[in-house]
Amino acid sequence: MNHEAWSEAQSSQTVEVDGHDVEMAYYEAGAGETVVFLHGIPTWSFLWRDAATDLEDDYHVVAPDLVGYGNSAAHEGFDRSIRAQEQALSDLLDALDVETCTLVAHDIGGGVALRFAAHQPERVEKLVCSNVVCYDSWPVEFIVNMGLPKTEAMDPAEFEAKLDFAFDDGAFGEADPEFVAGMKAPWLREGGQRALARAAVSTNTNHTTEIDYGAISAELLCLWAAADQMQPIAYGERLAEELDGDLQRLDDAYHWVPEDRKDVYADRVREFLAGDT
């Protein structure tokens, strides 16, 4: 599925979250047990186009755009931190009448998932973390440097070159052109450059260092790209040890592990959901 088709599938699916006039867009398909996919920065739910669609014949899959990202609201005047994203996730699940679910998360989506699983452990049965932010692992220099006012002042060509560096050069091997085009698309719209800057300055390591990881009761699988320099595998090992979970090392992958290892990613998640790992 290309990014235009993914956006079209989201077009009539939005909810108001966090008690404000903030719309959260989401992809939804399938029936059965709910699996929620949470992306990070600077991506959007299109990151999960393969994993989510692979599972939707057997599960109820939901892949939201975090507020401020993708097709969700991107205007001024609301919080984009992972603390706020946790509340938005809770509001989304309430709106969809989802009582319990599995969370599959990447990057800052992992920080959102970990906070939610610690604060509402009864709602999270299983947790898949892939190169997620946790403890004091973030923010990373590349994202910090995308914050205001620097990004807002960039020439559009320079800004797009930064995105190409992240998504094209940041892939393991030759990047799929549709992945690169899709990841860039929301940020290249009018106002997208400022929206990314707003998201970048909302990254706050306190929002993961303050988590009571011992409160998380969900069964954990860490699917971690071993070669990632932004979220090193040592953090995945620490998370798996503390939560008594399983860590599976995925070679031939950098930070975009659901994309770099899409040949096995959905299969590993499916096995975990079925209790085969």
Side-chain angles (χ1 to χ4, degrees), residues 148-213:
L148 289 170
K150 187 173 182 179
T151 295
E152 188 181 18
M154 279 183 193
D155 176 88
E158 180 186 3
F159 176 68
E160 186 167 5
K162 291 281 188 183
L163 297 177
D164 284 329
F165 172 77
F167 299 123
D168 195 345
D169 297 348
F172 191 94
E174 186 175 353
D176 180 349
E178 181 53 40
F179 168 73
V180 178
M183 287 297 106
K184 293 194 305 182
W187 306 121
L188 297 180
R189 299 171 189 156
E190 184 177 357
Q193 197 161 319
R194 184 174 181 83
L196 179 53
R198 286 292 187 204
V201 297
S202 296
T203 55
N204 186 337
T205 190
N206 293 330
H207 294 177
T208 50
T209 57
E210 71 186 9
I211 294 172
D212 178 6
Y213 290 86

Side-chain angles (χ1 to χ4, degrees), residues 108-252:
I108 68 166
V112 178
L114 290 165
R115 288 182 62 91
F116 185 83
H119 292 145
Q120 300 189 55
E122 72 284 355
R123 300 187 74 175
V124 184
E125 296 180 340
K126 294 189 176 186
L127 184 59
V128 180
C129 288
S130 293
N131 299 74
V132 303
V133 303
C134 54
Y135 307 109
D136 61 349
S137 72
W138 67 305
V140 299
E141 184 178 3
F142 177 79
I143 296 300
V144 170
N145 288 340
M146 294 298 283
L148 289 170
K150 187 173 182 179
T151 295
E152 188 181 18
M154 279 183 193
D155 176 88
E158 180 186 3
F159 176 68
E160 186 167 5
K162 291 281 188 183
L163 297 177
D164 284 329
F165 172 77
F167 299 123
D168 195 345
D169 297 348
F172 191 94
E174 186 175 353
D176 180 349
E178 181 53 40
F179 168 73
V180 178
M183 287 297 106
K184 293 194 305 182
W187 306 121
L188 297 180
R189 299 171 189 156
E190 184 177 357
Q193 197 161 319
R194 184 174 181 83
L196 179 53
R198 286 292 187 204
V201 297
S202 296
T203 55
N204 186 337
T205 190
N206 293 330
H207 294 177
T208 50
T209 57
E210 71 186 9
I211 294 172
D212 178 6
Y213 290 86
I216 299 173
S217 60
E219 185 179 351
L220 173 70
L221 171 64
C222 290
L223 285 179
W224 214 278
D228 187 8
Q229 298 300 307
M230 290 191 285
Q231 298 299 323
I233 197 168
Y235 281 100
E237 293 168 343
R238 178 181 174 185
L239 191 63
E241 181 177 4
E242 184 165 352
L243 273 61
D244 194 25
D246 179 38
L247 182 139
Q248 294 186 20
R249 173 192 181 107
L250 293 180
D251 294 320
D252 300 329

Side-chain angles (χ1 to χ4, degrees), residues 27-154:
Y27 176 87
E28 182 182 30
E33 298 176 21
T34 298
V35 183
V36 181
F37 293 85
L38 299 171
H39 68 86
I41 186 171
T43 61
W44 57 297
S45 61
F46 187 63
L47 177 72
W48 304 112
R49 72 194 191 280
D50 292 302
T53 55
D54 187 87
L55 293 172
E56 65 187 34
D57 286 343
D58 301 302
Y59 296 92
H60 171 223
V61 301
V62 180
D65 293 342
L66 300 182
V67 291
Y69 294 75
N71 292 309
S72 290
H75 56 76
E76 296 294 297
F78 66 90
D79 188 358
R80 290 158 162 82
S81 71
I82 66 167
R83 185 181 289 166
Q85 305 290 357
E86 176 196 359
Q87 181 61 56
L89 170 62
S90 185
D91 292 345
L92 173 65
L93 296 182
D94 289 347
L96 297 179
D97 295 322
V98 172
E99 295 185 0
T100 62
C101 65
T102 291
L103 297 178
V104 181
H106 178 257
D107 193 80
I108 68 166
V112 178
L114 290 165
R115 288 182 62 91
F116 185 83
H119 292 145
Q120 300 189 55
E122 72 284 355
R123 300 187 74 175
V124 184
E125 296 180 340
K126 294 189 176 186
L127 184 59
V128 180
C129 288
S130 293
N131 299 74
V132 303
V133 303
C134 54
Y135 307 109
D136 61 349
S137 72
W138 67 305
V140 299
E141 184 178 3
F142 177 79
I143 296 300
V144 170
N145 288 340
M146 294 298 283
L148 289 170
K150 187 173 182 179
T151 295
E152 188 181 18
M154 279 183 193

